[in-house]
Amino acid sequence: MKKLFYILIIVTVFSSCSEYQKTLKSESIADKFKVGEALYNEGKFSKANRLFAQIVPSYRGKPQAEKLMYLYSNSFYKMKDYYVAGYQFERFASSYPKSEKLEEASFLSAKSYYMLSPVYSKDQTETKEAIEKLQEFINLFTESEYLPEANKLVKELDFKLEKKAYSIAKQYNRISDYPASIKSFDNFIFDFPGSTLREEALFYRLDSAYRLAINSREYKKTIEGIIVPLKKNRLNTAKEYYISFKKLYVNSKHIEEANVMATALDEELKNYSTKS
């Protein structure tokens, strides 16, 4: 009985494959559409996609074209070919602006760009493009059922940009390039005022400024030949960063370490009070 069951399965599979191959070679665009749609509904998106690709040009301007183009676009999305899915959904939206599928297609187009966004440690060009596409969708479909998800995706992508900017600044701190670290943290604080990483950014900006000041030479000569009290200026800057940090995060896990830095800065600054 089991043997007969397995034989029936094998026959069915081969029959199905045979029908698919036959349809691929067929010249009937109606058959390709019918079989392609059946395969699509069965979740066999790659096979459906191959059939759709053969007939898309033939259906341009025909009543069934809208349905075909939606299925064709979505088959790419289901296959996780997000580059092509995003492009095809954009084409669908521009070709069928009155379609009942317009909202969904526009969202899936934007979400395709989201799916292409890499991990934060890599170049974030795709992330910025995805934010732009999702924001366009949000602005266009203000009452959409997809709005909560679109906003959630934008928030995730925004945090990825924050994490990227923060990690660059932190890396400069780690390799002791303190001027670059301070500048990068300044940019981060300005660009992401509401970031959850703001406390860490302010602390490590202080840390970089402290280390730069403590290890600084006393003076530098400008291009114009003016002698500037380099170390004193850097000590004062670091102290200002400490005051800003403590004002905002008096209960921070870094506060004890920050207080130790402040004490050392005050001791160094006393030397300049004595000299003056």
PDB file of all heavy atoms in Angstrom, residues 138-159:
ATOM      1  N   ILE A 138       4.749  57.165   3.519  1.00  0.00           N
ATOM      2  CA  ILE A 138       4.051  57.705   4.693  1.00  0.00           C
ATOM      3  C   ILE A 138       3.365  59.025   4.354  1.00  0.00           C
ATOM      4  O   ILE A 138       2.220  59.277   4.765  1.00  0.00           O
ATOM      5  CB  ILE A 138       5.041  57.884   5.863  1.00  0.00           C
ATOM      6  CG1 ILE A 138       5.479  56.503   6.381  1.00  0.00           C
ATOM      7  CG2 ILE A 138       4.424  58.710   6.987  1.00  0.00           C
ATOM      8  CD1 ILE A 138       6.675  56.541   7.316  1.00  0.00           C
ATOM      9  N   ASN A 139       4.063  59.869   3.603  1.00  0.00           N
ATOM     10  CA  ASN A 139       3.498  61.174   3.229  1.00  0.00           C
ATOM     11  C   ASN A 139       2.347  61.058   2.242  1.00  0.00           C
ATOM     12  O   ASN A 139       1.410  61.853   2.266  1.00  0.00           O
ATOM     13  CB  ASN A 139       4.594  62.061   2.623  1.00  0.00           C
ATOM     14  CG  ASN A 139       5.670  62.422   3.625  1.00  0.00           C
ATOM     15  OD1 ASN A 139       5.462  62.347   4.830  1.00  0.00           O
ATOM     16  ND2 ASN A 139       6.845  62.796   3.136  1.00  0.00           N
ATOM     17  N   LEU A 140       2.411  60.033   1.390  1.00  0.00           N
ATOM     18  CA  LEU A 140       1.405  59.865   0.346  1.00  0.00           C
ATOM     19  C   LEU A 140       0.154  59.148   0.850  1.00  0.00           C
ATOM     20  O   LEU A 140      -0.970  59.492   0.489  1.00  0.00           O
ATOM     21  CB  LEU A 140       2.008  59.088  -0.829  1.00  0.00           C
ATOM     22  CG  LEU A 140       1.197  59.049  -2.125  1.00  0.00           C
ATOM     23  CD1 LEU A 140       0.968  60.447  -2.676  1.00  0.00           C
ATOM     24  CD2 LEU A 140       1.908  58.184  -3.174  1.00  0.00           C
ATOM     25  N   PHE A 141       0.348  58.151   1.720  1.00  0.00           N
ATOM     26  CA  PHE A 141      -0.780  57.343   2.209  1.00  0.00           C
ATOM     27  C   PHE A 141      -0.945  57.556   3.714  1.00  0.00           C
ATOM     28  O   PHE A 141      -0.599  56.694   4.530  1.00  0.00           O
ATOM     29  CB  PHE A 141      -0.548  55.866   1.889  1.00  0.00           C
ATOM     30  CG  PHE A 141      -0.457  55.574   0.421  1.00  0.00           C
ATOM     31  CD1 PHE A 141       0.794  55.520  -0.203  1.00  0.00           C
ATOM     32  CD2 PHE A 141      -1.590  55.375  -0.351  1.00  0.00           C
ATOM     33  CE1 PHE A 141       0.894  55.251  -1.560  1.00  0.00           C
ATOM     34  CE2 PHE A 141      -1.497  55.103  -1.707  1.00  0.00           C
ATOM     35  CZ  PHE A 141      -0.250  55.050  -2.324  1.00  0.00           C
ATOM     36  N   THR A 142      -1.466  58.710   4.069  1.00  0.00           N
ATOM     37  CA  THR A 142      -1.534  59.112   5.481  1.00  0.00           C
ATOM     38  C   THR A 142      -2.520  58.289   6.315  1.00  0.00           C
ATOM     39  O   THR A 142      -2.441  58.299   7.543  1.00  0.00           O
ATOM     40  CB  THR A 142      -1.915  60.604   5.583  1.00  0.00           C
ATOM     41  OG1 THR A 142      -3.144  60.828   4.862  1.00  0.00           O
ATOM     42  CG2 THR A 142      -0.832  61.483   4.985  1.00  0.00           C
ATOM     43  N   GLU A 143      -3.442  57.590   5.650  1.00  0.00           N
ATOM     44  CA  GLU A 143      -4.426  56.779   6.374  1.00  0.00           C
ATOM     45  C   GLU A 143      -4.230  55.287   6.110  1.00  0.00           C
ATOM     46  O   GLU A 143      -5.119  54.478   6.377  1.00  0.00           O
ATOM     47  CB  GLU A 143      -5.856  57.184   5.942  1.00  0.00           C
ATOM     48  CG  GLU A 143      -6.186  58.655   6.140  1.00  0.00           C
ATOM     49  CD  GLU A 143      -6.193  59.046   7.606  1.00  0.00           C
ATOM     50  OE1 GLU A 143      -6.551  58.192   8.441  1.00  0.00           O
ATOM     51  OE2 GLU A 143      -5.828  60.192   7.912  1.00  0.00           O
ATOM     52  N   SER A 144      -3.081  54.926   5.616  1.00  0.00           N
ATOM     53  CA  SER A 144      -2.843  53.537   5.209  1.00  0.00           C
ATOM     54  C   SER A 144      -2.824  52.563   6.377  1.00  0.00           C
ATOM     55  O   SER A 144      -2.380  52.888   7.481  1.00  0.00           O
ATOM     56  CB  SER A 144      -1.506  53.436   4.471  1.00  0.00           C
ATOM     57  OG  SER A 144      -1.163  52.092   4.224  1.00  0.00           O
ATOM     58  N   GLU A 145      -3.272  51.356   6.117  1.00  0.00           N
ATOM     59  CA  GLU A 145      -3.205  50.291   7.126  1.00  0.00           C
ATOM     60  C   GLU A 145      -1.753  49.877   7.369  1.00  0.00           C
ATOM     61  O   GLU A 145      -1.423  49.258   8.376  1.00  0.00           O
ATOM     62  CB  GLU A 145      -4.010  49.069   6.669  1.00  0.00           C
ATOM     63  CG  GLU A 145      -3.469  48.400   5.407  1.00  0.00           C
ATOM     64  CD  GLU A 145      -4.264  47.179   4.992  1.00  0.00           C
ATOM     65  OE1 GLU A 145      -4.163  46.151   5.692  1.00  0.00           O
ATOM     66  OE2 GLU A 145      -4.976  47.256   3.980  1.00  0.00           O
ATOM     67  N   TYR A 146      -0.879  50.212   6.404  1.00  0.00           N
ATOM     68  CA  TYR A 146       0.545  49.856   6.528  1.00  0.00           C
ATOM     69  C   TYR A 146       1.342  50.934   7.260  1.00  0.00           C
ATOM     70  O   TYR A 146       2.557  50.783   7.454  1.00  0.00           O
ATOM     71  CB  TYR A 146       1.164  49.638   5.142  1.00  0.00           C
ATOM     72  CG  TYR A 146       0.492  48.564   4.329  1.00  0.00           C
ATOM     73  CD1 TYR A 146      -0.312  48.891   3.238  1.00  0.00           C
ATOM     74  CD2 TYR A 146       0.649  47.224   4.657  1.00  0.00           C
ATOM     75  CE1 TYR A 146      -0.942  47.902   2.492  1.00  0.00           C
ATOM     76  CE2 TYR A 146       0.029  46.229   3.921  1.00  0.00           C
ATOM     77  CZ  TYR A 146      -0.772  46.576   2.836  1.00  0.00           C
ATOM     78  OH  TYR A 146      -1.389  45.595   2.100  1.00  0.00           O
ATOM     79  N   LEU A 147       0.697  52.016   7.669  1.00  0.00           N
ATOM     80  CA  LEU A 147       1.389  53.145   8.275  1.00  0.00           C
ATOM     81  C   LEU A 147       2.152  52.761   9.552  1.00  0.00           C
ATOM     82  O   LEU A 147       3.313  53.159   9.709  1.00  0.00           O
ATOM     83  CB  LEU A 147       0.395  54.271   8.565  1.00  0.00           C
ATOM     84  CG  LEU A 147       0.950  55.698   8.524  1.00  0.00           C
ATOM     85  CD1 LEU A 147       1.571  56.001   7.174  1.00  0.00           C
ATOM     86  CD2 LEU A 147      -0.156  56.698   8.828  1.00  0.00           C
ATOM     87  N   PRO A 148       1.546  52.002  10.482  1.00  0.00           N
ATOM     88  CA  PRO A 148       2.288  51.621  11.694  1.00  0.00           C
ATOM     89  C   PRO A 148       3.569  50.852  11.378  1.00  0.00           C
ATOM     90  O   PRO A 148       4.623  51.115  11.970  1.00  0.00           O
ATOM     91  CB  PRO A 148       1.289  50.746  12.463  1.00  0.00           C
ATOM     92  CG  PRO A 148      -0.050  51.201  11.987  1.00  0.00           C
ATOM     93  CD  PRO A 148       0.145  51.533  10.537  1.00  0.00           C
ATOM     94  N   GLU A 149       3.476  49.929  10.426  1.00  0.00           N
ATOM     95  CA  GLU A 149       4.666  49.165  10.066  1.00  0.00           C
ATOM     96  C   GLU A 149       5.698  50.052   9.380  1.00  0.00           C
ATOM     97  O   GLU A 149       6.904  49.938   9.641  1.00  0.00           O
ATOM     98  CB  GLU A 149       4.309  47.987   9.150  1.00  0.00           C
ATOM     99  CG  GLU A 149       5.507  47.098   8.859  1.00  0.00           C
ATOM    100  CD  GLU A 149       5.183  45.887   8.007  1.00  0.00           C
ATOM    101  OE1 GLU A 149       4.001  45.702   7.655  1.00  0.00           O
ATOM    102  OE2 GLU A 149       6.113  45.124   7.676  1.00  0.00           O
ATOM    103  N   ALA A 150       5.243  50.935   8.509  1.00  0.00           N
ATOM    104  CA  ALA A 150       6.165  51.836   7.799  1.00  0.00           C
ATOM    105  C   ALA A 150       6.919  52.722   8.791  1.00  0.00           C
ATOM    106  O   ALA A 150       8.138  52.903   8.673  1.00  0.00           O
ATOM    107  CB  ALA A 150       5.397  52.699   6.808  1.00  0.00           C
ATOM    108  N   ASN A 151       6.203  53.263   9.778  1.00  0.00           N
ATOM    109  CA  ASN A 151       6.848  54.092  10.804  1.00  0.00           C
ATOM    110  C   ASN A 151       7.849  53.293  11.632  1.00  0.00           C
ATOM    111  O   ASN A 151       8.923  53.788  11.988  1.00  0.00           O
ATOM    112  CB  ASN A 151       5.799  54.723  11.723  1.00  0.00           C
ATOM    113  CG  ASN A 151       5.086  55.897  11.068  1.00  0.00           C
ATOM    114  OD1 ASN A 151       5.712  56.723  10.418  1.00  0.00           O
ATOM    115  ND2 ASN A 151       3.775  55.970  11.228  1.00  0.00           N
ATOM    116  N   LYS A 152       7.492  52.057  11.914  1.00  0.00           N
ATOM    117  CA  LYS A 152       8.380  51.167  12.679  1.00  0.00           C
ATOM    118  C   LYS A 152       9.669  50.897  11.900  1.00  0.00           C
ATOM    119  O   LYS A 152      10.770  50.912  12.459  1.00  0.00           O
ATOM    120  CB  LYS A 152       7.653  49.856  12.976  1.00  0.00           C
ATOM    121  CG  LYS A 152       8.484  48.813  13.713  1.00  0.00           C
ATOM    122  CD  LYS A 152       7.635  47.604  14.064  1.00  0.00           C
ATOM    123  CE  LYS A 152       8.458  46.478  14.670  1.00  0.00           C
ATOM    124  NZ  LYS A 152       9.323  45.799  13.676  1.00  0.00           N
ATOM    125  N   LEU A 153       9.524  50.672  10.592  1.00  0.00           N
ATOM    126  CA  LEU A 153      10.700  50.405   9.752  1.00  0.00           C
ATOM    127  C   LEU A 153      11.607  51.627   9.661  1.00  0.00           C
ATOM    128  O   LEU A 153      12.831  51.504   9.712  1.00  0.00           O
ATOM    129  CB  LEU A 153      10.252  49.979   8.351  1.00  0.00           C
ATOM    130  CG  LEU A 153       9.429  48.692   8.258  1.00  0.00           C
ATOM    131  CD1 LEU A 153       9.086  48.382   6.798  1.00  0.00           C
ATOM    132  CD2 LEU A 153      10.168  47.515   8.877  1.00  0.00           C
ATOM    133  N   VAL A 154      11.009  52.804   9.547  1.00  0.00           N
ATOM    134  CA  VAL A 154      11.800  54.045   9.505  1.00  0.00           C
ATOM    135  C   VAL A 154      12.573  54.218  10.810  1.00  0.00           C
ATOM    136  O   VAL A 154      13.758  54.590  10.795  1.00  0.00           O
ATOM    137  CB  VAL A 154      10.896  55.276   9.261  1.00  0.00           C
ATOM    138  CG1 VAL A 154      11.668  56.566   9.486  1.00  0.00           C
ATOM    139  CG2 VAL A 154      10.344  55.256   7.850  1.00  0.00           C
ATOM    140  N   LYS A 155      11.925  53.919  11.921  1.00  0.00           N
ATOM    141  CA  LYS A 155      12.576  54.043  13.224  1.00  0.00           C
ATOM    142  C   LYS A 155      13.771  53.096  13.324  1.00  0.00           C
ATOM    143  O   LYS A 155      14.846  53.470  13.824  1.00  0.00           O
ATOM    144  CB  LYS A 155      11.562  53.734  14.335  1.00  0.00           C
ATOM    145  CG  LYS A 155      12.056  54.080  15.731  1.00  0.00           C
ATOM    146  CD  LYS A 155      10.955  53.896  16.760  1.00  0.00           C
ATOM    147  CE  LYS A 155      11.465  54.251  18.146  1.00  0.00           C
ATOM    148  NZ  LYS A 155      10.414  54.069  19.177  1.00  0.00           N
ATOM    149  N   GLU A 156      13.608  51.883  12.829  1.00  0.00           N
ATOM    150  CA  GLU A 156      14.705  50.907  12.835  1.00  0.00           C
ATOM    151  C   GLU A 156      15.877  51.398  11.989  1.00  0.00           C
ATOM    152  O   GLU A 156      17.042  51.290  12.386  1.00  0.00           O
ATOM    153  CB  GLU A 156      14.223  49.560  12.284  1.00  0.00           C
ATOM    154  CG  GLU A 156      13.349  48.776  13.227  1.00  0.00           C
ATOM    155  CD  GLU A 156      12.905  47.455  12.609  1.00  0.00           C
ATOM    156  OE1 GLU A 156      13.595  46.961  11.689  1.00  0.00           O
ATOM    157  OE2 GLU A 156      11.858  46.933  13.028  1.00  0.00           O
ATOM    158  N   LEU A 157      15.562  51.934  10.828  1.00  0.00           N
ATOM    159  CA  LEU A 157      16.601  52.414   9.919  1.00  0.00           C
ATOM    160  C   LEU A 157      17.305  53.642  10.490  1.00  0.00           C
ATOM    161  O   LEU A 157      18.529  53.786  10.355  1.00  0.00           O
ATOM    162  CB  LEU A 157      15.997  52.729   8.546  1.00  0.00           C
ATOM    163  CG  LEU A 157      15.436  51.532   7.779  1.00  0.00           C
ATOM    164  CD1 LEU A 157      14.682  52.002   6.541  1.00  0.00           C
ATOM    165  CD2 LEU A 157      16.535  50.557   7.387  1.00  0.00           C
ATOM    166  N   ASP A 158      16.538  54.533  11.109  1.00  0.00           N
ATOM    167  CA  ASP A 158      17.129  55.715  11.749  1.00  0.00           C
ATOM    168  C   ASP A 158      18.130  55.303  12.823  1.00  0.00           C
ATOM    169  O   ASP A 158      19.222  55.877  12.941  1.00  0.00           O
ATOM    170  CB  ASP A 158      16.043  56.603  12.383  1.00  0.00           C
ATOM    171  CG  ASP A 158      15.385  57.526  11.368  1.00  0.00           C
ATOM    172  OD1 ASP A 158      16.018  57.829  10.339  1.00  0.00           O
ATOM    173  OD2 ASP A 158      14.240  57.937  11.600  1.00  0.00           O
ATOM    174  N   PHE A 159      17.750  54.291  13.599  1.00  0.00           N
ATOM    175  CA  PHE A 159      18.648  53.831  14.673  1.00  0.00           C
ATOM    176  C   PHE A 159      19.916  53.219  14.082  1.00  0.00           C
ATOM    177  O   PHE A 159      21.001  53.342  14.658  1.00  0.00           O
ATOM    178  CB  PHE A 159      17.949  52.821  15.573  1.00  0.00           C
ATOM    179  CG  PHE A 159      18.815  52.381  16.720  1.00  0.00           C
ATOM    180  CD1 PHE A 159      19.121  53.259  17.752  1.00  0.00           C
ATOM    181  CD2 PHE A 159      19.338  51.100  16.761  1.00  0.00           C
ATOM    182  CE1 PHE A 159      19.946  52.865  18.804  1.00  0.00           C
ATOM    183  CE2 PHE A 159      20.158  50.698  17.809  1.00  0.00           C
ATOM    184  CZ  PHE A 159      20.453  51.579  18.834  1.00  0.00           C
TER     185      PHE A 159
END
